[in-house]
Amino acid sequence: MSTTRTVAAFDFDHTISNRDNVLAFLIEVGGRARLTRALIATTPDLARRRRDQVKRSVTRAILRGYPADKLKTKAQTFAQEIISHHIRPDVLARAQWHRAQGHQLVIVSASYACYLNFVAAHLGFDAVLATELATDAARQTLTGELLGANVYGAEKVNRLEAWIGPEPALIWAYGDSAGDNELLARANYPVRVGKPPLPSSPIER
């Protein structure tokens, strides 16, 4: 019997969740008007499709100086809203199938880890590899900067491979957008998630 480790890696926004959560969270923290002003200020980068720069600029505009303890409370409340109203039942059923097979479950996402950690714990995932926010430890506030790279595109593969380590593993990957292309290409079993519901297990295809 094979003892090869099997990992099921899931994107989050529009894959496990039915919406984009980054903008929704920034609205929750800073308000819609403030986010709109921040997005307008990034118009040149938006026009050039500089995704990472836009995200860094908007994150800085909304979260710089925000109290770390208050952010944790906001993130937990936001996570509960996602769990209650924004989880795709078909993708959740697929994750449950993987868990029943003894596979490890990991979220690999450009969404913020601060709320994904709560969601992952509730859904029974083993790890979250997502975009982290930097904190000023002395002031206990957010610096407004990302801690490391935005977990998008090739960075998803980098994070996943670092988490898996040197031992061989079979990888299932689930994603919906261009930001998941590298992750899907790396997987032994890539699954493109779209509008038609996924069957609860691969044998139902």
Side-chain angles (χ1 to χ4, degrees), residues 137-154:
R139 297 181 180 180
Q140 286 299 294
T141 59
L142 278 293
T143 67
E145 303 301 324
L146 303 186
L147 185 62
N150 184 31
V151 185
Y152 180 89

Side-chain angles (χ1 to χ4, degrees), residues 160-205:
L160 182 62
E161 290 188 337
W163 182 77
I164 290 173
E167 295 182 5
L170 289 175
I171 300 173
W172 287 75
Y174 295 83
D176 73 291
S177 70
D180 303 310
N181 286 346
E182 290 89 345
L183 180 64
L184 293 171
R186 170 64 181 84
N188 303 93
Y189 303 104
V191 180
R192 180 75 64 173
V193 176
K195 290 184 179 180
L198 289 173
S200 58
S201 75
I203 62 174
E204 295 178 25
R205 289 185 296 179

